[in-house]
Amino acid sequence: VNVSGCSFYVSAEIADSYGMLTGGYFSEPETHVFIDYLLQQLDDVIFVNGGCNVGEFIIKAGRAKSTNRVLGYDIHPDCIEACRRSIQLNGLEDSCTVHLRGLGSEVGTACVSFGQHAPQGTNLFDEEGRETRSVDISTLDQELKKEIVAEELPYVVLLDVEGYEKEIMKGSSKFVESHKPIIIFEYNEVSRHNFTLDEVREELGEEYIV
């Protein structure tokens, strides 16, 4: 399917993940407006998407003229495969890379609950999913240490990980301190069960000013 000039590979196995994409619309238009605004203000952006799902933001950011590099992470193998195929469809192999692993506060493995309507609802908290699997977990400190060497470039980090956002920030302390990235995340009924905004501010530290 094609949405605003972006081509997306559609996998029937994870059809629920595409939302309005199959109808020709982005599923989170307000977030796209905000990210588009940021990318217009910055140059040579490194865009990082934790919980990239089927790549709605990966592909859009990868096609932006101001983007230098795009990194995506997800814990669902079918989502990562869909992302890789969409990256190929758009000819973005040189600038976009996605990884089948989660992001968290420590490097290791974790038991993941796959949602009843997989992969929607897949997360690292709820144990009532339709099945559980063990997945690799890394931290942004570790990932960006080995992936990125251009420390002077601006970073935009988008997190959509079903309430696990604060854990990712815990594993990003060195990266946040040195790069002051712009961090975008959902704060909704799911997030509120796991952290407060005051806890996020405390985690980022008093020196965090973009």
Side-chain angles (χ1 to χ4, degrees):
V1 297
N2 186 281
V3 184
S4 297
C6 301
S7 297
F8 293 93
Y9 170 82
V10 177
S11 171
E13 287 78 9
I14 52 172
D16 286 349
S17 291
Y18 288 88
M20 295 190 294
L21 284 179
T22 52
Y25 302 94
F26 287 121
S27 298
E28 299 183 32
E30 298 86 354
T31 307
H32 281 284
V33 169
F34 182 53
I35 291 177
D36 287 347
Y37 170 78
L38 291 177
L39 296 181
Q40 290 170 8
Q41 309 302 312
L42 303 169
D43 292 316
D44 277 343
V45 176
I46 296 174
F47 183 81
V48 183
N49 189 185
C52 60
N53 201 269
V54 296
E56 177 170 337
F57 293 100
I58 290 287
I59 301 303
K60 182 72 179 298
R63 290 177 58 89
K65 293 181 180 180
S66 60
T67 304
N68 178 288
R69 183 141 173 73
V70 176
L71 296 171
Y73 299 86
D74 204 278
I75 55 179
H76 201 292
D78 291 337
C79 286
I80 290 297
E81 178 61 23
C83 283
R84 287 172 177 160
R85 289 179 179 249
S86 293
I87 287 170
Q88 293 173 350
L89 284 174
N90 290 273
L92 299 173
E93 296 95 327
D94 291 339
S95 59
C96 296
T97 305
V98 291
H99 301 281
L100 177 59
R101 53 180 168 270
L103 295 172
S105 58
E106 298 179 355
V107 176
T109 60
C111 188
V112 171
S113 173
F114 277 28
Q116 295 290 347
H117 304 286
Q120 297 301 91
T122 296
N123 64 81
L124 289 154
F125 283 128
D126 184 10
E127 298 180 356
E128 297 181 357
R130 64 180 179 85
E131 63 174 297
T132 57
R133 300 183 190 179
S134 179
V135 299
D136 291 331
I137 302 294
S138 187
T139 66
L140 276 182
D141 279 346
Q142 179 67 21
E143 292 298 308
L144 298 182
K145 177 182 177 181
K146 65 185 180 183
E147 290 275 8
I148 308 290
V149 295
E151 296 183 358
E152 72 279 5
L153 298 182
Y155 290 74
V156 174
V157 178
L158 173 64
L159 303 177
D160 185 358
V161 288
E162 303 296 325
Y164 212 66
E165 288 81 358
K166 193 185 77 167
E167 294 301 308
I168 294 179
M169 294 180 202
K170 283 184 179 180
S172 311
S173 58
K174 294 180 181 178
F175 165 60
V176 169
E177 181 180 0
S178 61
H179 293 86
K180 301 297 189 294
I182 296 172
I183 302 175
I184 306 165
F185 63 96
E186 292 182 335
Y187 191 63
N188 52 26
E189 65 277 4
V190 176
S191 307
R192 290 185 179 92
H193 285 297
N194 298 298
F195 61 85
T196 67
L197 291 179
D198 284 340
E199 289 175 330
V200 169
R201 295 187 185 98
E202 182 178 354
E203 196 64 51
L204 294 176
E206 295 180 358
E207 300 299 320
Y208 175 74
I209 300 176
V210 175

